[in-house]
Protein backbone atom coordinates (compact mmCIF):
# COMPACT_ATOMS: atom_id res chain seq x y z
CA UNK A 1 0.00 0.00 0.00
CA UNK A 2 1.33 3.45 -0.93
CA UNK A 3 2.32 5.59 2.08
CA UNK A 4 -0.20 8.31 1.15
CA UNK A 5 -3.04 5.81 0.85
CA UNK A 6 -2.01 4.15 4.10
CA UNK A 7 -1.99 7.46 5.96
CA UNK A 8 -5.36 8.31 4.49
CA UNK A 9 -6.84 4.98 5.67
CA UNK A 10 -5.37 5.38 9.15
CA UNK A 11 -6.80 8.89 9.41
CA UNK A 12 -10.18 7.71 8.22
CA UNK A 13 -10.21 4.91 10.79
CA UNK A 14 -9.43 7.39 13.57
CA UNK A 15 -12.28 9.63 12.47
CA UNK A 16 -14.77 6.79 12.14
CA UNK A 17 -13.89 5.32 15.53
CA UNK A 18 -14.21 8.72 17.20
CA UNK A 19 -17.56 9.32 15.50
CA UNK A 20 -18.73 5.83 16.43
CA UNK A 21 -17.97 6.39 20.12
CA UNK A 22 -19.87 9.69 20.12
CA UNK A 23 -22.80 8.17 18.24
CA UNK A 24 -22.97 5.14 20.50
CA UNK A 25 -22.84 7.15 23.73
CA UNK A 26 -24.56 10.44 22.93
CA UNK A 27 -26.47 10.08 19.68
CA UNK A 28 -26.28 11.67 16.19
CA UNK A 29 -26.47 15.24 17.53
CA UNK A 30 -23.08 14.77 19.22
CA UNK A 31 -21.38 13.83 15.95
CA UNK A 32 -20.27 17.31 14.94
CA UNK A 33 -17.20 18.18 12.93
CA UNK A 34 -15.58 19.94 15.86
CA UNK A 35 -16.28 17.16 18.37
CA UNK A 36 -15.17 14.33 16.09
CA UNK A 37 -12.00 16.16 15.07
CA UNK A 38 -11.16 16.84 18.72
CA UNK A 39 -11.73 13.21 19.76
CA UNK A 40 -9.66 11.96 16.83
CA UNK A 41 -6.83 14.40 17.56
CA UNK A 42 -7.18 16.09 14.17
CA UNK A 43 -8.10 19.44 12.70
CA UNK A 44 -11.66 19.80 11.30
CA UNK A 45 -10.48 20.16 7.65
CA UNK A 46 -9.27 16.56 7.81
CA UNK A 47 -12.88 15.41 7.99
CA UNK A 48 -13.93 17.39 4.93
CA UNK A 49 -11.22 15.75 2.87
CA UNK A 50 -12.61 12.28 3.65
CA UNK A 51 -16.37 12.74 4.10
CA UNK A 52 -18.73 14.79 1.98
CA UNK A 53 -21.13 15.60 4.80
CA UNK A 54 -22.39 14.56 8.23
CA UNK A 55 -24.70 11.89 6.80
CA UNK A 56 -21.78 10.09 5.18
CA UNK A 57 -19.86 10.22 8.47
CA UNK A 58 -22.89 8.95 10.42
CA UNK A 59 -23.30 6.09 7.97
CA UNK A 60 -19.66 5.11 8.41
CA UNK A 61 -19.92 5.34 12.21
CA UNK A 62 -23.08 3.22 12.38
CA UNK A 63 -21.53 0.70 9.99
CA UNK A 64 -18.44 0.50 12.20
CA UNK A 65 -20.44 -0.25 15.36
CA UNK A 66 -22.63 -2.82 13.62
CA UNK A 67 -19.62 -4.42 11.93
CA UNK A 68 -18.11 -5.15 15.33
CA UNK A 69 -21.39 -6.76 16.37
CA UNK A 70 -21.61 -8.91 13.24
CA UNK A 71 -17.97 -9.95 13.56
CA UNK A 72 -18.64 -11.25 17.06
CA UNK A 73 -21.52 -13.34 15.72
CA UNK A 74 -19.30 -14.87 13.06
CA UNK A 75 -16.82 -16.13 15.65
CA UNK A 76 -19.51 -18.21 17.39
CA UNK A 77 -19.21 -21.84 16.35
CA UNK A 78 -22.49 -23.62 15.53
CA UNK A 79 -23.80 -26.18 17.99
CA UNK A 80 -25.58 -29.45 17.29
CA UNK A 81 -28.97 -27.74 17.75
CA UNK A 82 -29.74 -25.24 14.96
CA UNK A 83 -32.86 -23.99 16.75
CA UNK A 84 -30.87 -23.08 19.85
CA UNK A 85 -28.32 -21.35 17.62
CA UNK A 86 -31.18 -19.32 16.16
CA UNK A 87 -32.34 -18.40 19.66
CA UNK A 88 -28.80 -17.36 20.62
CA UNK A 89 -28.58 -15.17 17.53
CA UNK A 90 -31.96 -13.62 18.34
CA UNK A 91 -30.89 -12.81 21.89
CA UNK A 92 -27.64 -11.28 20.66
CA UNK A 93 -29.46 -9.08 18.14
CA UNK A 94 -32.04 -7.91 20.70
CA UNK A 95 -29.26 -7.10 23.18
CA UNK A 96 -27.38 -5.13 20.55
CA UNK A 97 -30.43 -3.04 19.67
CA UNK A 98 -31.21 -2.27 23.31
CA UNK A 99 -27.59 -1.41 24.12
CA UNK A 100 -27.16 0.80 21.03
CA UNK A 101 -30.43 2.69 20.50
CA UNK A 102 -28.84 5.56 18.54
CA UNK A 103 -26.99 3.26 16.20
CA UNK A 104 -30.00 0.99 15.78
CA UNK A 105 -32.17 3.98 14.91
CA UNK A 106 -29.84 4.83 12.03
CA UNK A 107 -29.68 1.22 10.88
CA UNK A 108 -33.49 1.12 10.60
CA UNK A 109 -33.42 3.75 7.87
CA UNK A 110 -34.55 1.77 4.77
CA UNK A 111 -32.07 3.49 2.45
CA UNK A 112 -29.14 2.81 4.79
CA UNK A 113 -30.30 -0.77 5.39
CA UNK A 114 -30.40 -1.60 1.69
CA UNK A 115 -26.93 -0.25 0.97
CA UNK A 116 -24.98 -1.16 4.11
CA UNK A 117 -22.66 -4.14 3.45
CA UNK A 118 -22.60 -5.16 7.11
CA UNK A 119 -26.39 -5.29 7.21
CA UNK A 120 -26.32 -7.65 4.25
CA UNK A 121 -23.68 -9.76 6.00
CA UNK A 122 -25.91 -9.95 9.10
CA UNK A 123 -28.83 -11.14 6.99
CA UNK A 124 -26.60 -13.80 5.43
CA UNK A 125 -25.65 -15.08 8.89
CA UNK A 126 -29.35 -15.32 9.79
CA UNK A 127 -30.08 -17.06 6.47
CA UNK A 128 -27.34 -19.62 7.18
CA UNK A 129 -28.89 -20.44 10.56
CA UNK A 130 -32.33 -20.79 8.99
CA UNK A 131 -30.84 -23.01 6.27
CA UNK A 132 -29.50 -25.42 8.91
CA UNK A 133 -32.97 -25.64 10.44
CA UNK A 134 -34.49 -26.36 7.03
CA UNK A 135 -31.90 -29.05 6.35
CA UNK A 136 -32.88 -30.69 9.66
CA UNK A 137 -36.50 -30.92 8.48
CA UNK A 138 -37.77 -28.46 11.09
CA UNK A 139 -38.88 -25.55 8.88
CA UNK A 140 -42.56 -25.36 7.87
CA UNK A 141 -42.20 -22.30 5.62
CA UNK A 142 -39.68 -21.33 2.95
CA UNK A 143 -36.27 -20.14 4.10
CA UNK A 144 -36.94 -16.72 2.58
CA UNK A 145 -40.23 -16.36 4.48
CA UNK A 146 -38.61 -17.50 7.73
CA UNK A 147 -35.76 -14.98 7.42
CA UNK A 148 -38.19 -12.13 6.73
CA UNK A 149 -40.48 -13.10 9.59
CA UNK A 150 -37.60 -13.32 12.06
CA UNK A 151 -36.21 -9.96 10.96
CA UNK A 152 -39.63 -8.31 11.20
CA UNK A 153 -40.27 -9.71 14.66
CA UNK A 154 -36.82 -8.68 15.86
CA UNK A 155 -37.17 -5.09 14.66
CA UNK A 156 -40.61 -4.82 16.23
CA UNK A 157 -39.43 -6.26 19.53
CA UNK A 158 -36.47 -3.91 19.80
CA UNK A 159 -38.55 -0.88 18.83
CA UNK A 160 -41.23 -1.74 21.38
CA UNK A 161 -38.75 -2.25 24.22
CA UNK A 162 -36.87 0.95 23.39
CA UNK A 163 -40.05 3.05 23.42
CA UNK A 164 -41.48 1.66 26.66
CA UNK A 165 -41.05 3.52 29.92
CA UNK A 166 -38.84 1.62 32.40
CA UNK A 167 -41.78 0.86 34.68
CA UNK A 168 -43.76 -0.52 31.73
CA UNK A 169 -41.01 -2.64 30.21
CA UNK A 170 -41.80 -6.34 29.86
CA UNK A 171 -38.64 -8.35 30.63
CA UNK A 172 -40.15 -11.45 29.00
CA UNK A 173 -41.29 -9.80 25.76
CA UNK A 174 -38.23 -10.87 23.76
CA UNK A 175 -38.57 -14.53 24.77
CA UNK A 176 -42.32 -14.47 24.09
CA UNK A 177 -41.76 -12.94 20.65
CA UNK A 178 -39.17 -15.56 19.75
CA UNK A 179 -41.46 -18.37 20.91
CA UNK A 180 -44.31 -16.93 18.84
CA UNK A 181 -42.20 -16.71 15.70
CA UNK A 182 -40.81 -20.23 16.11
CA UNK A 183 -44.35 -21.61 16.48
CA UNK A 184 -45.15 -20.01 13.15
CA UNK A 185 -42.12 -21.26 11.23
CA UNK A 186 -40.95 -24.49 12.92
CA UNK A 187 -42.25 -28.01 13.33
CA UNK A 188 -41.98 -29.75 16.69
CA UNK A 189 -40.03 -32.65 15.21
CA UNK A 190 -38.30 -33.39 11.88
CA UNK A 191 -40.97 -33.51 9.21
CA UNK A 192 -42.81 -36.62 8.01
CA UNK A 193 -44.31 -36.19 4.50
CA UNK A 194 -47.84 -37.18 5.50
CA UNK A 195 -47.83 -34.87 8.50
CA UNK A 196 -46.12 -31.72 7.24
CA UNK A 197 -45.39 -31.70 3.50
CA UNK A 198 -44.34 -28.03 3.61
CA UNK A 199 -41.49 -28.86 5.98
CA UNK A 200 -40.38 -31.72 3.73
CA UNK A 201 -40.34 -29.36 0.76
CA UNK A 202 -38.29 -26.81 2.73
CA UNK A 203 -35.80 -29.53 3.66
CA UNK A 204 -35.60 -30.85 0.10
CA UNK A 205 -34.81 -27.36 -1.24
CA UNK A 206 -31.61 -27.36 0.85
CA UNK A 207 -30.42 -30.44 -1.08
CA UNK A 208 -30.67 -28.90 -4.56
CA UNK A 209 -27.02 -27.73 -4.68
CA UNK A 210 -25.98 -31.32 -3.91
CA UNK A 211 -27.79 -32.87 -6.90
CA UNK A 212 -25.04 -33.03 -9.56
CA UNK A 213 -27.26 -34.62 -12.22
CA UNK A 214 -29.27 -31.39 -12.58
CA UNK A 215 -28.09 -28.46 -14.67
CA UNK A 216 -28.28 -24.98 -13.16
CA UNK A 217 -31.40 -24.27 -15.20
CA UNK A 218 -33.06 -27.53 -14.10
CA UNK A 219 -32.21 -26.89 -10.45
CA UNK A 220 -33.61 -23.36 -10.70
CA UNK A 221 -36.82 -24.66 -12.26
CA UNK A 222 -37.21 -27.34 -9.60
CA UNK A 223 -36.60 -24.75 -6.88
CA UNK A 224 -39.33 -22.57 -8.39
CA UNK A 225 -41.76 -25.51 -8.34
CA UNK A 226 -40.87 -26.32 -4.75
CA UNK A 227 -41.43 -22.72 -3.67
CA UNK A 228 -44.92 -22.85 -5.16
Amino acid sequence: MAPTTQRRDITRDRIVKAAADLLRDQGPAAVTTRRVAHEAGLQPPALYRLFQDKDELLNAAAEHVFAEHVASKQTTAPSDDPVEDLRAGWNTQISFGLANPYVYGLLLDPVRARDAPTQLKGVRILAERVHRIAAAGRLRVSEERAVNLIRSAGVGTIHTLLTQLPEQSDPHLSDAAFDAITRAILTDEPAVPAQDPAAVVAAFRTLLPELPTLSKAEAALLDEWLQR
Side-chain angles (χ1 to χ4, degrees), residues 106-192:
L106 288 173
L107 294 174
L108 285 182
D109 184 311
V111 175
R112 287 187 171 96
R114 282 194 295 266
D115 298 335
T118 306
Q119 289 253 47
L120 299 176
K121 187 180 296 183
V123 174
R124 285 198 296 271
I125 292 173
L126 172 59
E128 289 168 2
R129 292 180 177 176
V130 169
H131 182 76
R132 290 183 61 225
I133 293 173
R138 295 287 309 279
L139 199 63
R140 67 168 74 249
V141 299
S142 71
E143 294 180 47
E144 297 84 356
R145 172 66 62 85
V147 168
N148 289 333
L149 285 171
I150 295 166
R151 292 182 67 197
S152 300
V155 169
T157 299
I158 294 171
H159 179 77
T160 300
L161 290 172
L162 286 175
T163 54
Q164 286 181 332
L165 296 173
E167 62 270 18
Q168 297 174 336
S169 183
D170 180 355
H172 305 296
L173 181 64
S174 175
D175 290 337
F178 181 81
D179 291 341
I181 204 70
T182 54
R183 284 194 296 271
I185 67 174
L186 302 183
T187 63
D188 292 333
E189 299 292 339
V192 177

Side-chain angles (χ1 to χ4, degrees), residues 47-58:
L47 275 67
Y48 299 123
R49 290 194 291 268
L50 294 169
F51 299 93
Q52 293 182 354
D53 50 34
K54 181 176 177 177
D55 274 349
E56 185 177 352
L57 179 55
L58 281 173

Side-chain angles (χ1 to χ4, degrees), residues 42-111:
L42 301 166
Q43 295 299 316
L47 275 67
Y48 299 123
R49 290 194 291 268
L50 294 169
F51 299 93
Q52 293 182 354
D53 50 34
K54 181 176 177 177
D55 274 349
E56 185 177 352
L57 179 55
L58 281 173
N59 286 344
E63 178 79 1
H64 175 79
V65 177
F66 194 62
E68 291 180 333
H69 166 64
V70 172
S72 68
K73 294 173 70 172
Q74 288 183 301
T75 60
T76 304
S79 72
D80 294 333
D81 189 337
V83 176
E84 283 306 308
D85 288 346
L86 181 64
R87 182 186 293 276
W90 168 277
N91 290 336
T92 300
Q93 188 73 3
I94 299 297
S95 296
F96 171 82
L98 298 182
N100 300 275
Y102 300 122
V103 175
Y104 199 75
L106 288 173
L107 294 174
L108 285 182
D109 184 311
V111 175

